[in-house]
Amino acid sequence: MEKKMPLFIVTGASGSGKSFVIGELRKILPEFDIFDPDQVVDFIGHDWELMRNIWLRVARGIAGSGRMTIICGTFMPWDVEKCADYDCFEHVYYLNLHCDKEARELRLRARDWSEEMIQDHKDFATWLVENADTAYTPPMPIVDTTHTDVAEVALQIKGWVQRYAGQVKF
């Protein structure tokens, strides 16, 4: 039986910086495969259950080669636990990227989002912060991206990954 690898998910409400940090993460964590699930929406649409299953299957294949994966996307534990390949991982760890309401609003307005969608994501971001200690095991750390340079955000994510990655040499 192969050793199970951990899976790392950088989550957060829209506008928090998940996609933006990927380039920096790839520079400082070349030993990891790092993905933005939104990159395939044009091909498979907004079937989020299918999306999660595909990305966990990809991460499982990568783990079979002895490498670990970081997925930068809004995945919730109760949805990930339903995926066919969930049990193939030693553990799934979550980190939340967060920014203040004003920054989120500016970022989402730049994407031409509606007022209703912006408010929904502000509310979701608040929920993530309020439940980080109780809805996640271990408790989900929060990295504030409001005024933090993307390189510093990536370094904070790297520290979190290293804490749980076990015996992987960096």
Side-chain angles (χ1 to χ4, degrees):
M1 175 177 244
E2 293 181 23
K3 179 183 177 211
K4 291 184 178 183
M5 304 291 274
L7 174 62
F8 299 93
I9 297 178
V10 175
T11 192
S14 290
S16 62
K18 298 179 301 293
S19 297
F20 192 63
V21 76
I22 290 174
E24 289 295 321
L25 287 174
R26 287 179 176 153
K27 289 178 194 173
I28 65 172
L29 289 170
E31 306 83 8
F32 284 78
D33 290 293
I34 303 166
F35 298 102
D36 178 355
D38 290 347
Q39 294 298 308
V40 298
V41 168
D42 290 345
F43 303 105
I44 66 169
H46 292 93
D47 184 336
W48 303 117
E49 181 179 355
L50 176 62
M51 174 89 69
R52 287 184 296 274
N53 274 289
I54 287 170
W55 284 111
L56 262 69
R57 179 61 51 95
V58 168
R60 175 186 172 189
I62 291 166
S65 298
R67 293 175 57 85
M68 288 183 256
T69 300
I70 301 170
I71 297 173
C72 296
T74 307
F75 285 22
M76 303 303 287
W78 47 87
D79 293 324
V80 171
E81 290 167 6
K82 295 176 192 171
C83 291
D85 293 317
Y86 175 76
D87 290 333
C88 296
F89 298 96
E90 173 265 328
H91 192 78
V92 179
Y93 295 95
Y94 295 85
L95 177 139
N96 180 34
L97 294 187
H98 180 76
C99 60
D100 68 24
K101 291 179 182 184
E102 293 79 19
R104 181 175 319 285
E105 186 170 340
L106 285 172
R107 293 171 186 180
L108 297 180
R109 281 192 197 291
R111 299 179 191 176
D112 293 322
W113 281 36
S114 71
E115 293 299 319
E116 182 180 359
M117 289 175 64
I118 291 170
Q119 187 59 50
D120 286 347
H121 282 268
K122 285 181 183 178
D123 295 343
F124 178 55
T126 299
W127 185 93
L128 286 169
V129 170
E130 290 174 350
N131 291 277
D133 290 339
T134 57
Y136 297 84
T137 304
M140 180 173 62
I142 299 168
V143 174
D144 190 330
T145 65
T146 305
H147 303 290
T148 309
D149 179 74
V150 68
E152 175 58 31
V153 171
L155 285 172
Q156 290 182 47
I157 294 169
K158 179 180 180 178
W160 165 71
V161 166
Q162 287 178 323
R163 185 173 332 130
Y164 294 110
Q167 302 301 312
V168 177
K169 296 191 189 290
F170 290 92

